[in-house]
Amino acid sequence: MSAVTLTAFGLTTTQALAAPAPAAPGAKPVPVQRLTETGQKHAQKIRGKAAADQAFTAKSKAEGGGEDESDEAENSAEGTAQYTEARTAPGIVAPGAYGAAWAQLQSMPHTAGSWDHVTEKPYNSDDPRYRDVNSNSSGGSGLVTGRITGIAADKDGYVYAGGANGGVFRSRTGGGHWEPIADKLPTLSTGTLNLDAGSRLWYATGESNTGATSYVGTGVYVLSDPKHGEFQPGNRVGGAELESTIIHALRFGGGKVWAATSRGVWSHSATTLSGPWTMEFAPNPEYLPGGSKAGDPAAPYKNIANDIAIDPKDPNKVVLAVGWRSGDTYNGFYGKAADGTWQRVGSLGDLPTDAANVGNVTFARSADGSRYYAIDQSPAVMASDPDTGLKGIYVSKSGSPFGPWTQIADKDKLKNSGSALQDAGYQPGIQAWYNQFLQVDPANPDHVYAGLEEVFETTDSGTTWATVGPYWNNGFPCWSIDPAKQTGDCSPTTHSDQHAVAFGSYQGKATVYVGNDGGIYRRPTNGQLDAYGHAKDWTPLNDGTIDTLQYYSVGVGKDPADRSGRGVIVSGGLQDNGQSILRAHDKVMGSNFGGDGADTLVDPANGCNIAEEYVYLDMWVTQNCAVNDGSWTKDPSKATSYEVAPPDKDTSAARFIAPITSDPKDGNTWIAGGRHVWVQHKGYAIRSGSEWTSAYDLGDGHVATAVATVDGTVYAGWCGPCNNVGFSRGIAVGKTDGTGWHQLNLPVDGTLPNRYISSFAVDEKDAQHVLVAFNGFSRTWTEGPGAGVGHLFETRNGGATWTDISANLPDVPATSVKILPNDGLALGTDLAAFYRAPGTSDWRVLGRNLPTTSVQQLKTGPDGKLYAATFGRGIWSFDLRRLGHGRYDETDD
């Protein structure tokens, strides 16, 4: 679960479930479930994660992140307003920023060489090699990949899956053997996928979540021959009207396609694809681009549309579900009046229509038109109940979106259907603002799949429910941590956090596909249930040919088990998928650390020495790759990882993804950044958080965003406040022994922009020679105090003076800078990686073949390669020998 309240596998099951679940039709009664002793021990680590997330929620509310405050708007996904803050502060980014950067990227020359896809392998979250207290392993999710936010499927076994920031993949075999088909588009951010009646594939870009790590898109694209073709930029429907929006849903009726976006509801002819989109309804048009309040910090949250319901008997009758998840006066359902204006719907039966109880809504219509279903997330419930935001699930048995609607489920009914959430102190719908899908079996209007954190199924229009995809297996009596028993007697489940669903056919059998934070899964539409009301027949389709993994970090070190001495271990921290580890001769990646992964340190000389960060600076260390030989199941003291978090392990004292680093000339010296700059000199032999010392206090309200050190000199970038209201940043410089610390003079109107500091590169030959990268967009696109111009700056005197060396770089957020062994520079950004050769001033795109997605971190490995952790397409490597040693003496252009 990747949000402020929970993270994947961040739940605990610590006592008996309160009540047995009602049996699904045809199933055996569900027994009361008791947590095993081993399960209690396994949950101890996870409890701390959930507690940290709850603390962040409380902090957000205490700081006034209320109903329509813009910073609360982003503080809910992954605990991190921080991801979005880094790209927006100190102001609001105008539409078109990413599009302009992508257009410039197309005209830039490339260096020689191509990138190699490192993580194009299956990733087994249940890998028995790493089955101990700190890993996800044995939870039951099996093979995973990154967040899937759109799915479409047909009757011929073709399946289309869209990654959150990974683009569209096609399978011709009912799932598996995937191939990317949208990599030529300017964005890989997926809102939704739909197959229309003519078998055309519609791709709405702009991830359909209001989470902090969701990217906006560039509109809607249509592929007329999805079985054989690939999306091209010329496939876009209409003009630029939907650029820089999030598209929550596409709905079809009356010859039109309707789009629910973050800037209102739009429509377009579904047959004539040229011509502009038509604005149908925006509740607060003054906040739209060009409006009188477009520059207001709340503008992005004033016109959010979530879904559209079209009457199957009369396509002129339409209901719009509109509203911001945390509540606003405009929230509600709207229908068109006789005079052609959109008016708030006053009553729909059980389905609430008041602004306080209409939040994120998803509709689903049966194929025969006899039923409409809806999920409603309530701002009022979310504000008053710390354990859920769900108001309910509803049905209109008239088939009309105007009802009357009847409630068929609430959190209590769902939690008693076999949910794995309740014992953690949470209820179904805890993240209903983030986790939602709803779909009706085309062959049975009473058969419905609903997705929240878990997957629920009803075969009788909501009279009874079954949790067919529980959050995880940990805690159920069938569960076992023993590698010899795999997941015990538990049936495999899906990953948590549901986002997409589709029905199709595989080998002539009706099949349902679900997408979540762990990828895409399938089961027979009318599958089997076990004694707990859980599905017995989920199959993960994440075979490694689909890689939508969202990495925050990467680390590389020599594999001590490789006899050649050349093999390496590649490890990295992931959104909602823990820490991955790929050893030199592995055919399958494993997960040796659970929850959300964050920053990573790997010993270049021995890749089994790994420091893995959870979130908020909660660091753990292993010196054996976290391989467990099974002894932990007999003696809990024999863990393979040790918690070594500095004292700033707190939501108010560290960023969600807090920076950590080591001295490249002294691998035993580590720096960790929270409110304080922490130092320790034991390297991977550290065993306790008490072994850190504070070298410097950045100040009340300040937290580190980037740290670097060489030869005892430390550079620490910080922000505080970090949101766009009163944003401030700075750079502190000092020694690891605590001496010589001072703040550099960085006036808001000075050379360096007043934007988020994302990365440093310190010259190993001269610690006074430093590069600093800035996130966000420059003054062209950002309205805010001191936004400035440029993304990369250089000093040769320890920060006394700086020079902008951005040159011809596109105006796009910069994330990671590296000084390469040949003294060239590499820079990771939200669109590509770039290279500047020694002795030159211009930049080129680094190599070819790297997908157009966010490069979060660059690291060099002991094998002479540069590694890129991308947030949506896994880890890639580039052989630096292709760059030569001087100017562009090897080039593809």
Side-chain angles (χ1 to χ4, degrees):
M1 210 173 259
S2 70
V4 60
T5 44
L6 303 172
T7 47
F9 309 107
L11 295 178
T12 61
T13 312
T14 56
Q15 49 189 313
L17 297 181
K28 298 178 182 178
V30 178
V32 176
Q33 303 154 35
R34 302 289 176 182
L35 185 67
T36 63
E37 179 182 359
T38 308
Q40 291 176 340
K41 294 171 181 175
H42 189 276
Q44 291 172 0
K45 163 82 180 329
I46 308 301
R47 269 197 293 274
K49 299 181 180 183
D53 289 333
Q54 286 179 307
F56 192 93
T57 306
K59 174 177 177 284
S60 297
K61 292 179 179 178
E63 291 177 349
E67 313 247 317
D68 46 10
E69 293 287 331
S70 61
D71 73 323
E72 192 277 340
E74 299 158 351
N75 270 346
S76 299
E78 295 163 28
T80 131
Q82 301 162 15
Y83 194 88
T84 300
E85 286 169 355
R87 286 155 175 79
T88 58
I92 297 297
V93 178
Y98 278 103
W102 183 82
Q104 182 180 344
L105 179 69
Q106 304 315 298
S107 64
M108 292 184 67
H110 290 245
T111 71
S114 293
W115 290 84
D116 293 316
H117 194 175
V118 175
T119 52
E120 194 177 22
K121 288 179 171 58
Y123 178 26
N124 186 4
S125 68
D126 285 320
D127 193 325
R129 291 176 295 175
Y130 308 106
R131 187 159 295 179
D132 72 356
V133 67
N134 299 312
S135 76
N136 289 342
S137 192
S138 79
S141 295
L143 300 180
V144 297
T145 190
R147 195 160 70 226
I148 295 295
T149 50
I151 304 175
D154 68 14
K155 59 181 175 55
D156 299 323
Y158 281 78
V159 186
Y160 308 91
N165 198 32
V168 182
F169 289 78
R170 172 177 58 213
S171 171
R172 307 170 192 266
T173 58
H177 304 288
W178 301 92
E179 55 184 335
I181 61 171
D183 282 6
K184 294 179 181 178
L185 296 183
T187 179
L188 299 183
S189 176
T190 300
T192 188
L193 287 168
N194 299 78
L195 282 167
D196 65 14
S199 298
R200 294 177 300 175
L201 181 62
W202 293 69
Y203 180 34
T205 64
E207 187 184 347
S208 51
N209 294 310
T210 50
T213 59
S214 300
Y215 279 87
V216 295
T218 56
V220 177
Y221 299 82
V222 174
L223 188 56
S224 59
D225 183 13
K227 291 183 178 179
H228 306 97
E230 295 186 12
F231 284 101
Q232 306 290 333
N235 296 144
R236 189 167 73 172
V237 179
E241 299 82 22
L242 302 188
E243 278 194 10
S244 299
T245 67
I246 290 169
I247 301 178
H248 294 263
L250 294 179
R251 301 296 182 185
F252 298 84
K256 295 197 295 187
V257 56
W258 295 69
T261 82
S262 54
R263 296 208 302 260
V265 178
W266 299 71
S267 71
H268 197 283
S269 168
T271 55
T272 303
L273 303 184
S274 60
W277 287 80
T278 298
M279 165 61 76
E280 292 282 355
F281 178 63
N284 297 293
E286 66 273 22
Y287 287 94
L288 293 173
S292 60
K293 296 183 179 179
D296 191 301
Y301 317 106
K302 288 295 189 179
N303 288 287
I304 292 175
N306 295 297
D307 210 345
I308 301 146
I310 303 171
D311 193 319
K313 301 178 181 67
D314 183 355
N316 293 313
K317 295 179 179 179
V318 180
V319 172
L320 312 179
V322 176
W324 168 234
R325 69 183 190 221
S326 292
D328 204 331
T329 56
Y330 75 88
N331 285 33
F333 296 102
Y334 292 80
K336 187 169 283 190
D339 63 0
T341 61
W342 292 92
Q343 301 294 328
R344 189 185 296 270
V345 178
S347 177
L348 291 172
D350 288 351
L351 183 61
T353 57
D354 60 300
N357 280 301
V358 180
N360 186 22
V361 172
T362 300
F363 290 121
R365 187 178 76 189
S366 65
D368 67 359
S370 67
R371 300 280 190 275
Y372 242 113
Y373 295 87
I375 295 177
D376 177 33
Q377 169 262 327
S378 163
V381 171
M382 189 169 72
S384 61
D385 189 337
D387 300 326
T388 189
L390 178 68
K391 188 67 175 177
I393 303 178
Y394 305 82
V395 64
S396 168
K397 291 194 173 181
S398 70
S400 169
F402 288 91
W405 291 84
T406 302
Q407 186 168 5
I408 55 175
D410 59 12
K411 66 177 178 64
D412 294 320
K413 192 169 189 177
L414 295 178
K415 80 175 182 181
N416 290 324
S417 70
S419 169
L421 280 171
Q422 55 183 313
D423 247 3
Y426 301 104
Q427 308 293 337
I430 180 66
Q431 290 184 168
W433 56 266
Y434 174 70
N435 302 320
Q436 275 196 30
F437 71 55
L438 192 65
Q439 193 64 276
V440 188
D441 182 349
N444 181 356
D446 294 326
H447 185 196
V448 181
Y449 278 81
L452 294 166
E453 298 71 43
E454 303 167 294
V455 183
F456 300 94
E457 179 187 22
T458 178
T459 58
D460 52 18
S461 197
T463 301
T464 58
W465 292 86
T467 308
V468 293
Y471 187 79
W472 62 358
N473 286 328
N474 297 339
F476 292 109
C478 58
W479 171 83
S480 174
I481 199 171
D482 186 346
K485 297 180 180 179
Q486 299 296 310
T487 54
D489 298 322
C490 292
S491 305
T493 185
T494 70
H495 195 285
S496 60
D497 294 352
Q498 311 306 318
H499 301 293
V501 61
F503 287 93
S505 180
Y506 173 60
Q507 295 182 339
K509 297 180 180 178
T511 304
V512 64
Y513 300 87
V514 301
N516 47 51
D517 274 14
I520 180 169
Y521 297 74
R522 76 170 179 230
R523 72 181 291 244
T525 298
N526 298 290
Q528 296 181 325
L529 304 183
D530 64 18
Y532 303 98
H534 304 154
K536 297 172 65 174
D537 39 24
W538 285 112
T539 299
L541 304 177
N542 313 300
D543 61 0
T545 61
I546 183 171
D547 183 0
T548 58
L549 290 168
Q550 296 167 282
Y551 280 94
Y552 291 112
S553 62
V554 62
V556 187
K558 292 183 178 180
D559 189 341
D562 179 57
R563 294 181 179 179
S564 72
R566 297 186 298 271
V568 295
I569 292 171
V570 182
S571 186
L574 287 152
Q575 185 275 329
D576 218 18
N577 282 291
Q579 185 90 7
S580 73
I581 179 169
L582 176 64
R583 302 199 64 162
H585 301 290
D586 278 354
K587 303 291 186 190
V588 176
M589 293 194 296
S591 177
N592 63 359
F593 188 73
D596 277 273
D599 212 347
T600 300
L601 294 179
V602 175
D603 184 352
N606 182 350
C608 277
N609 291 333
I610 306 171
E612 306 156 312
E613 183 189 359
Y614 171 55
V615 293
Y616 303 116
L617 214 55
D618 186 2
M619 291 177 62
W620 295 68
V621 68
T622 179
Q623 290 195 276
N624 74 334
C625 283
V627 173
N628 188 274
D629 61 4
S631 61
W632 186 87
T633 61
K634 303 177 182 64
D635 182 354
S637 68
K638 294 182 178 179
T640 60
S641 298
Y642 304 88
E643 187 174 23
V644 295
D648 275 355
K649 185 193 73 171
D650 181 83
T651 58
S652 63
R655 300 290 279 169
F656 183 77
I657 307 298
I660 58 177
T661 192
S662 61
D663 189 327
K665 301 178 75 172
D666 176 11
N668 288 326
T669 295
W670 292 6
I671 308 296
R675 168 177 168 166
H676 298 80
V677 178
W678 297 97
V679 180
Q680 68 96 358
H681 297 285
K682 292 190 175 181
Y684 298 92
I686 187 174
R687 290 294 179 268
S688 168
S690 64
E691 295 174 81
W692 293 88
T693 59
S694 173
Y696 186 65
D697 184 346
L698 292 170
D700 187 23
H702 296 169
V703 287
T705 61
V707 292
T709 183
V710 166
D711 280 340
T713 297
V714 182
Y715 293 84
W718 56 264
C719 64
C722 296
N723 58 31
N724 56 23
V725 180
F727 177 84
S728 180
R729 57 82 184 99
I731 299 175
V733 182
K735 296 291 186 180
T736 54
D737 63 5
T739 63
W741 280 91
H742 60 284
Q743 296 281 351
L744 298 182
N745 181 25
L746 304 179
V748 170
D749 58 352
T751 302
L752 296 186
N754 186 41
R755 303 203 309 271
Y756 187 96
I757 295 168
S758 58
S759 178
F760 292 103
V762 184
D763 191 337
E764 293 182 31
K765 299 184 290 291
D766 178 7
Q768 297 294 295
H769 179 205
V770 184
L771 297 109
V772 59
F774 283 81
N775 218 307
F777 291 91
S778 68
R779 190 178 298 136
T780 303
W781 301 102
T782 303
E783 297 180 5
V789 175
H791 293 274
L792 188 64
F793 295 79
E794 181 177 36
T795 180
R796 293 185 178 274
N797 52 19
T801 59
W802 296 87
T803 301
D804 183 355
I805 61 169
S806 306
N808 62 325
L809 285 170
D811 187 359
V812 68
T815 52
S816 182
V817 59
K818 290 292 295 180
I819 300 174
L820 301 178
N822 71 345
D823 291 327
L825 301 179
L827 181 70
T829 75
D830 272 5
L831 286 179
F834 298 93
Y835 173 69
R836 194 189 79 173
T840 65
S841 59
D842 65 314
W843 293 83
R844 297 190 175 209
V845 181
L846 180 53
R848 297 187 181 275
N849 202 39
L850 186 66
T852 304
T853 189
S854 175
V855 177
Q856 287 293 101
Q857 193 175 78
L858 296 172
K859 292 274 185 73
T860 52
D863 53 357
K865 296 180 180 179
L866 180 69
Y867 287 81
T870 76
F871 198 73
R873 289 293 286 271
I875 295 173
W876 296 69
S877 69
F878 183 89
D879 191 337
L880 292 173
R881 291 174 296 183
R882 296 300 307 273
L883 297 176
H885 299 283
R887 300 173 67 88
Y888 294 110
D889 50 357
E890 292 189 46
T891 180
D892 287 344
D893 298 283

